[in-house]
C-alpha cells in the first residue's frame, strides 16, 4: 500500500509538472510541448507499468510505442522526451529502460541503455 501511494504521488507530481511546464511562457519552458504527448501516454496508456509498476506493460502501452518506433523522427523525439522524463523523475528510469525488453522492441527503444539519445533536448523545434 505504501509503495502504491508513493507511485501515485510520483504520477501526480509528474502530471502537475507537465501541466506547469506546458502552460508556462515559451521563453521559460524548460522542455518542448511535444513531450506532453509522451508523458500523457505514460500516465494514461502505460499507467499500470510506469505508475503502478506492474509488468508486463499492457498491449496498448507497447502498441503506442511500437507504432512510432519505425519512424525516425518520432523515434528520436520519444527518446529525447524519455531522456528528459527520466532525468526529471529518476524513479521511473528503471521502468523506461525496461520497456524495450518488456515490449520486445530490441535495440534500446524508447531509450538506449546508455541513456544517451542521438539528439539532445536543446535541438527540439521550439515553434511547435
Amino acid at each position: 500500500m505504501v509503495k502504491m501511494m508513493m507511485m501515485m504521488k510520483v504520477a501526480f507530481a509528474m502530471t502537475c509538472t507537465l501541466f506547469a511546464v506546458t502552460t508556462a511562457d515559451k521563453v521559460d519552458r524548460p522542455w518542448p510541448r511535444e513531450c506532453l504527448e509522451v508523458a500523457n501516454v505514460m500516465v494514461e496508456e502505460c499507467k499500470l507499468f510506469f505508475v503502478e509498476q506492474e509488468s508486463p506493460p499492457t498491449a496498448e502501452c507497447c502498441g503506442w510505442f511500437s507504432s512510432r518506433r519505425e519512424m525516425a523522427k518520432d523515434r528520436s523525439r520519444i527518446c529525447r522526451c524519455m531522456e528528459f522524463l527520466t532525468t526529471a523523475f529518476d524513479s521511473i528510469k528503471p521502468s523506461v529502460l525496461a520497456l524495450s525488453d518488456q515490449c520486445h522492441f530490441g535495440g534500446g527503444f524508447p531509450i538506449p541503455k546508455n541513456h544517451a539519445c542521438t539528439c539532445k533536448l536543446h535541438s527540439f523545434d521550439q515553434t511547435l
Side-chain angles (χ1 to χ4, degrees):
M1 183 69 165
V2 173
K3 185 177 180 181
M4 186 172 162
M5 290 299 292
M6 185 180 87
M7 292 311 295
M8 289 174 67
K9 288 179 183 179
V10 169
F12 179 73
M14 213 167 116
T15 304
C16 290
T17 301
L18 295 171
F19 178 77
V21 297
T22 56
T23 57
D25 183 72
K26 188 175 184 177
V27 174
D28 298 328
R29 189 173 46 228
W31 60 295
R33 283 190 308 188
E34 64 182 12
C35 286
L36 182 61
E37 178 188 18
V38 175
N40 280 339
V41 167
M42 290 173 67
V43 172
E44 293 172 15
E45 301 291 335
C46 303
K47 179 182 177 183
L48 294 175
F49 184 69
F50 287 110
V51 178
E52 298 176 19
Q53 295 188 328
E54 290 185 14
S55 286
T58 62
E60 293 80 15
C61 179
C62 289
W64 186 88
F65 285 100
S66 182
S67 69
R68 286 149 179 84
R69 67 187 265 250
E70 297 304 320
M71 297 177 280
K73 185 177 179 180
D74 272 355
R75 184 181 177 105
S76 183
R77 174 182 63 92
I78 290 168
C79 182
R80 291 187 315 260
C81 290
M82 291 299 223
E83 186 176 51
F84 170 79
L85 290 168
T86 58
T87 301
F89 305 99
D90 196 53
S91 62
I92 66 167
K93 188 183 298 185
S95 296
V96 170
L97 293 173
L99 188 64
S100 179
D101 294 335
Q102 294 284 323
C103 291
H104 308 288
F105 295 146
F109 179 76
I111 189 168
K113 298 284 185 208
N114 66 2
H115 200 67
C117 296
T118 54
C119 299
K120 297 300 176 193
L121 288 170
H122 61 77
S123 67
F124 276 110
D125 181 0
Q126 292 294 318
T127 61
L128 293 177

